[in-house]
Structures are given as C-alpha cells and as structure tokens.
Amino acid sequence: MVYILILWGYAFGLLFLYGHFTWQGVKAGFQIDTDLPVVLKTLLGFVPLTAGALVWNYFYRVGSLVNAVMVLGALMGAILMRHSIGQAVKIGWATLKSTPWWITGLIAMMLFVVVYRAAYFMYTPDTGLYHAQAVRWAEEYAVVPGLGNLHGRLATNSSWFITAALLGYSTLSVGLQMFFRVTGGAPFAVELQALLFPFHPVNSLLIGLMIFHGFSAMGDWVKGARGYGVFLRIVAAVAAFYLYLDDFAAPNPDVPAALFLWLTILSFTYWIERKHAGDLDENALLVMFFGVFAVTVKLSALPVLILPLYLVVHRWRKGWLWLSAGLLVLFFLPWLGRYYVLSGYLVFPLEKIDLFNPDWKMGMDAVQDIREWILSWGRIPVLDKDDVLAMPLTTWVPIWWGNLRIYVRVLLYLSLGASAFAAVRLFLDARANRLAVVGRASWGALMVALWCGMAYWFFSAPDPRFVMGFLLPLLGVMLLYVAGAVRETGWFGWVVIALAAGVAGLWGLKTTSSVWQRRGEHSAEQRFIAPIGYVSGRVEGFVRDDVVAHEINGYTVFLPREGEDCWYAPLPCVVNLKEAVYLRGDTLQEGFRLNPKP
C-alpha cells in the first residue's frame, strides 16, 4: 500500500500542476474569473498529461525520460505561477478544514479501502488478455506499426493505456532504483526492491478523486448548495466505489471511460442550472475537455460529443474555435493516428472505413472477425459468434435479457420509466413556459445525448460493463428532473445524503473489517508495502514468467503455458501462434506485417 500511496502522491502533484496550467490558460483565453477546486484541476490534468504522452509515444517509449521532462515542465510552470498555485492550495486547504468531520472520516475510510483493494485485487479478465500487454508495449517501445497483426486486441486504441504507462510501475521502479543507489545498497533498500512487482494503480487514483469530489458535495449541501449536480456527484461517488471494486488494481479503460462520461454530464448539468441565459462558464469548458477525453479512452463514449457540439452551436464564441482546434490537433488527431499505426485503419475495428494501405495493415477478415466477436460476446457470451449473429432480434434479445444480472435489469427498467416521465414533464414545462427556451433546449440535448449513448451501446456491444457511463447518469438525471423540487426542498437532500453515507459507510466498514481478517498474501501486513500486481494475477491465473518461448519467422514470441492470458509477461506475448506474421525490419520496434519483406 505504501508503494501505491507514493505513486498516488507523485501522480496527484503532476496532475494538479498540469491541470492548473491548463486552466490558467483557458481562463486567460476566455476571460473567465472563476477558479476550479483542486480536485477538478487534478482531474483536468489527465487531459494535457495524456496528450503529451500520446505525442511522445510516436517517437519514444513512455517511461522515465518522459516523466523527467514532465517533472521539469511542472517545476518551471510552478515557479512562474507560484502565486496562483499558492492561492489555489490555500483555498483547497480551507475548504477541506471546513468540511464536517463525519464527511472527512467517510472519505478517509473509503480511500483506505480503495488503496487496500488496489494492492491485491485483480479480477478483470481483459486485463490479462490484453490491457496489461498494451501498457507494457507503451512502456518499452514507441507505438509499433502493425502490432494488431501479432495480437488483434493490441490494435485496440485507448489513451488510458498511455496514462497507465506514464503513471505506473516503470516510473516508481526508476525512482526506487535511484533511491537504492543513494542508500548504497543498504539491506532495507534491497528488501524494498525485492518487493516491487509490476502494477498500474491509476484506476484507483481516479476512483479516489471521484470519491473525494462526490462526497465533498455533501459538505456543499450542508453549506447551502442546492441543485441536480450536487446529488449527481454523490451518486457518482457511491457508484464508482461499488461498481468498480474489481478494477481498482487493473488499467481497465472501462472505468475511466465511465467516470469521465459522468464528469462531462455533471459539468453540463451544472451549466444548465447556473446559466439559463446560455453564457459560457467553467462548466461548459469542462464539458469540452472531459467529453473529448472520454472518447479517446473508449470509442463507445462517442455520443457524449453531442454535448460540446451543442454548446458550440448554441453559444458560439471565437474562443471555442481555438479550443476546439487545440484539442483536435494536440489530442484527437494523435489518438486517431495511433489507430492507423497499430492496425492500418482509421478506426479499429471498423474495417469498412478502409482509407489506407500501409504494408503493416491488418487483414480485413481478421478485423471483421474481431468486430463480430465483440458484438456477439456482448449479446450472448460463450456461444459461437456466427450462431449469435445469425439470430434475429426477437431471438437473441430474450436470451440476452435473461443473462443480465437482476440489478442491471432493474436499472434499465427504472431508466425507461424515468425517461418517459421526464419527457412528459419537459413537454409540460415547455407548454407552461416554466423553463426558458435555453433551459428546454439544454435539457433536451442532455436527454438526447444519454439516449444516443444507450442506443449506441445496445446495437454495438450490449455488455453491461460498457453501459454504466450512460445508464447511471440517464437514471439520475431523469429521476432528478422528474423530482424537480430538489433545489427548493431540504428534506430530499438530507434523504439522499443519509442513504449515500449509509451505503458507503456500511460497505466501507464491512470491507475494512475484512481486511484485518485476511491471512497469507492478501493480508494487510503482507500488502502494507507493495501490491501483488501482476505476479499472481487472478487467483487461478497467470504466474510471473509462466510462459513458453517459441521461435517463428526469425523472432521469439511467448505463449502462456496455460490459458489465454498474457498479463504482464515479457514481450511479445501472444495467445496463439500466427505463422503468417513477419517482422517489417530487424527489430520489434519496426513492427509486424502479414507478408515477408520483399
């Protein structure tokens, strides 16, 4: 746990500073006086840090050197902006001190649970299949042309893999090695080094930030804040804590995709409530940043771009052009470019968007096969994809519905009912002129974005893991809009706060008490210094170096001795041998192709 806290502290400092630099530039460009809380600046910091690492990875691996460059940039910026940084820290500390003790205690308990579970828990199957390998490729190589030819899932392009590489194991290992050199190989230093195994706790940090951001809304309520956004923040914190317990230790992009979707929708909700005149403020700008970032983390978040597009069209300002162009050039285009390098396609696995023909291009049949497996697995897992895709809607939907967990079905039922009531209320409010025109249009745009997200999920890959980014905000927004009176009544807020605090508190106490009852490698004593990481992976899964080497077409690949999970095995690790994959040059860095070099 100590190693995780060290990485948390390092990452928090970098994220806060780069988020602060970004916000200061945005404030100057848009002439906005409002500052952001420390936690929101830290969340914003994911955008510039990841964008910089994305560009860097075109030329070099994401490791100690890029971290050194970013630390140097952070130090220089901190010197230049020392006064504004000091002011932001003072305000943040004053806010923390004014937070009621029971809220601070609740946050502390939940953060302890997050750190502990991040130190030993890793039950995410896709992390064993390709997440950990994608992160390791970014840590050890610049982006590799045709990597998808070696292992199709490695063509999956998530900016979160770059974030995990930037703020993960390799960074800490280099820092500890420097510490070991300074200590001259002292016995305690050698023991600490022996405990260090690969791990990437960036998901746990993000969830910790969401918990702090969400439960601090309770303090805002106590101080008199009202509105939909306050309640949605609380719900988002509880949901992040409960839904992603198994993902605290894994660099699973499903988690940040959902959480940044929530942040986008929260920001849009705050904008509706605070600016019925349609002016742009800090919330509108966060919609742009968080929405674009969510899409680069996972393409299934694409419908959320309806919200920033609505803002651009609805209240156009020249500054929007510069901000949009900046995000496009510095972030969106480098992210799209990775698709081209990894697979040869503009977007993977959409083989019909066939615009390029590089020598490392993946076979169209292979890309189509992956796309069809993703679709069929989302509908009915385990069955052969051809059988599933041949089923008409009336056949596979009942089977799919029967396979859903009860709580997912309940959430879907509630969302359908709440959406119907919300649509009726919006219509009645419009007819009675209870909302300004901008209010009606804004709530309508939010509802459209949420339902487009649900439709996109249902027709592309209806796996419940991929929908929480839209489903929970849909349910929350619709229910709160139907309730309507939450801004004027106090009792409703206290009920929500009591329920959220009760659920989180009981779950946190249950988990905390179980920590001290564990024995062996999962005990708190064993995990006090270092996490398990990928050494044991799943309980029945990958054991470090449990791979077999094979020579093929002049290079060595590793296969898992058992199962289909490579986890963090040495590169290149594949789940099955492909006889028709060749090196483009003499090294792995030059990439892979389907035909021998001419």
Side-chain angles (χ1 to χ4, degrees):
M1 290 187 284
V2 171
Y3 283 168
I4 291 176
L5 290 174
I6 292 173
L7 259 183
W8 271 26
Y10 170 77
F12 181 87
L14 267 188
L15 290 166
F16 167 69
L17 288 174
Y18 277 92
H20 182 82
F21 303 156
T22 301
W23 189 247
Q24 290 299 108
V26 169
K27 282 176 62 179
F30 284 86
Q31 298 179 347
I32 293 176
D33 296 329
T34 309
D35 204 8
L36 292 179
V38 169
V39 67
L40 271 181
K41 285 184 179 177
T42 307
L43 289 164
L44 178 62
F46 279 106
V47 179
L49 274 183
T50 304
L54 269 173
V55 175
W56 178 279
N57 194 229
Y58 277 95
F59 309 99
Y60 198 65
R61 62 189 179 90
V62 180
S64 57
L65 185 56
V66 66
N67 272 275
V69 171
M70 289 187 170
V71 168
L72 181 61
L75 292 175
M76 294 174 61
I79 293 172
L80 294 173
M81 299 186 184
R82 58 188 180 277
H83 297 300
S84 61
I85 291 173
Q87 185 67 18
V89 172
K90 286 180 182 178
I91 294 174
W93 178 245
T95 302
L96 181 62
K97 287 198 300 183
S98 65
T99 301
W101 65 268
W102 57 274
I103 297 176
T104 305
L106 186 63
I107 293 172
M109 179 179 64
M110 295 176 73
L111 291 180
F112 169 77
V113 174
V114 172
V115 173
Y116 172 73
R117 292 182 75 93
Y120 86 93
F121 218 69
M122 192 175 297
Y123 279 177
T124 309
D126 282 349
T127 296
L129 181 62
Y130 73 98
H131 295 165
Q133 283 287 294
V135 173
R136 186 159 189 171
W137 276 102
E139 290 175 337
E140 298 187 12
Y141 294 93
V143 58
V144 176
L147 187 58
N149 289 312
L150 186 69
H151 183 338
R153 288 303 186 95
L154 292 178
T156 303
N157 179 26
S158 173
S159 62
W160 198 246
F161 297 147
I162 304 298
T163 311
L166 179 69
L167 303 174
Y169 157 75
S170 62
T171 301
L172 180 62
S173 64
V174 170
L176 287 176
Q177 287 169 14
M178 293 174 61
F179 170 74
F180 299 146
R181 291 193 188 99
V182 172
T183 57
F188 76 91
V190 175
E191 292 178 9
L192 288 176
Q193 189 173 23
L195 289 172
L196 181 60
F197 298 116
F199 70 107
H200 298 92
V202 67
N203 275 12
S204 64
L205 172 61
L206 177 60
I207 290 171
L209 291 170
M210 286 294 293
I211 288 171
F212 194 91
H213 181 53
F215 278 85
S216 62
M218 292 183 179
D220 294 343
W221 175 269
V222 172
K223 296 171 188 175
R226 297 293 183 267
Y228 304 118
V230 174
F231 298 103
L232 291 176
R233 280 168 59 189
I234 299 172
V235 172
V238 176
F241 182 74
Y242 177 77
L243 289 176
Y244 298 117
L245 284 170
D246 293 353
D247 296 294
F248 290 177
N252 179 8
D254 294 337
V255 177
L259 298 190
F260 278 100
L261 275 172
W262 297 353
L263 287 169
T264 306
I265 293 161
L266 277 170
S267 301
F268 193 84
T269 305
Y270 270 113
W271 176 78
I272 294 175
E273 289 189 304
R274 295 184 181 180
K275 294 292 181 182
H276 282 299
D279 297 333
L280 295 180
D281 64 357
E282 71 277 11
N283 298 296
L285 295 169
L286 289 177
V287 169
M288 175 69 81
F289 280 106
F290 290 149
V292 169
F293 187 71
V295 174
T296 67
V297 171
K298 194 138 190 174
L299 190 60
S300 57
L302 189 65
V304 82
L305 292 184
I306 291 173
L307 300 181
L309 287 175
Y310 168 80
L311 292 174
V312 169
V313 173
H314 189 68
R315 278 294 185 270
W316 175 258
R317 283 172 55 180
K318 188 176 181 180
W320 274 110
L321 177 63
W322 296 112
L323 179 60
S324 303
L327 286 173
L328 180 68
V329 173
L330 298 177
F331 199 18
F332 215 72
L333 289 182
W335 170 73
L336 279 178
R338 282 181 62 86
Y339 276 121
Y340 169 72
V341 177
L342 293 170
S343 67
Y345 292 86
L346 180 64
V347 179
F348 175 88
L350 303 181
E351 79 283 354
K352 297 191 185 313
I353 307 179
D354 187 12
L355 306 178
F356 312 108
N357 193 33
D359 64 357
W360 64 81
K361 185 176 182 178
M362 294 176 65
M364 187 174 291
D365 291 341
V367 177
Q368 180 179 349
D369 185 69
I370 293 172
R371 178 179 57 79
E372 291 177 347
W373 266 115
I374 293 172
L375 176 58
S376 69
W377 196 268
R379 292 178 178 177
I380 307 174
V382 181
L383 292 184
D384 183 79
K385 69 177 179 64
D386 294 328
D387 294 336
V388 174
L389 297 181
M391 295 179 183
L393 193 71
T394 53
T395 300
W396 71 260
V397 168
I399 300 174
W400 165 79
W401 183 260
N403 289 336
L404 293 178
R405 293 185 177 182
I406 293 178
Y407 82 90
V408 177
R409 280 185 261 173
V410 170
L411 289 176
L412 288 170
Y413 273 132
L414 289 174
S415 298
L416 285 169
S419 296
F421 279 110
V424 171
R425 170 158 184 175
L426 182 63
F427 175 75
L428 294 176
D429 285 346
R431 289 196 63 181
N433 289 321
R434 285 193 290 265
L435 283 175
V437 174
V438 65
R440 297 197 298 269
S442 300
W443 280 113
L446 180 55
M447 293 178 186
V448 168
L450 290 170
W451 270 107
C452 283
M454 295 292 295
Y456 184 86
W457 162 75
F458 182 78
F459 290 107
S460 61
D463 188 313
R465 294 175 299 163
F466 308 149
V467 74
M468 292 304 169
F470 285 108
L471 177 58
L472 290 181
L474 174 69
L475 178 58
V477 167
M478 300 304 173
L479 286 177
L480 288 174
Y481 186 77
V482 171
V486 296
R487 286 172 296 179
E488 291 79 27
T489 58
W491 65 267
F492 184 87
W494 286 111
V495 168
V496 172
I497 288 175
L499 287 174
V503 170
L506 290 174
W507 189 266
L509 285 173
K510 176 180 178 295
T511 307
T512 304
S513 63
S514 70
V515 166
W516 308 113
Q517 300 172 13
R518 293 185 182 273
R519 296 294 181 264
E521 65 174 356
H522 295 320
S523 67
E525 295 83 359
Q526 289 294 318
R527 301 276 61 84
F528 179 74
I529 298 295
I532 293 176
Y534 301 109
V535 174
S536 60
R538 300 177 72 180
V539 173
E540 71 280 15
F542 178 74
V543 178
R544 187 164 59 111
D545 297 332
D546 191 11
V547 291
V548 180
H550 292 267
E551 292 289 331
I552 179 173
N553 298 329
Y555 62 98
T556 302
V557 297
F558 299 96
L559 272 77
R561 197 178 299 275
E562 296 180 2
E564 296 184 348
D565 293 335
C566 283
W567 293 95
Y568 200 73
L571 302 179
C573 182
V574 297
V575 296
N576 53 69
L577 286 175
K578 296 182 179 179
E579 300 286 345
V581 177
Y582 302 85
L583 289 176
R584 295 179 64 241
D586 299 324
T587 65
L588 297 179
Q589 180 61 78
E590 294 176 81
F592 303 89
R593 55 186 293 166
L594 295 177
N595 300 304
K597 290 185 294 184

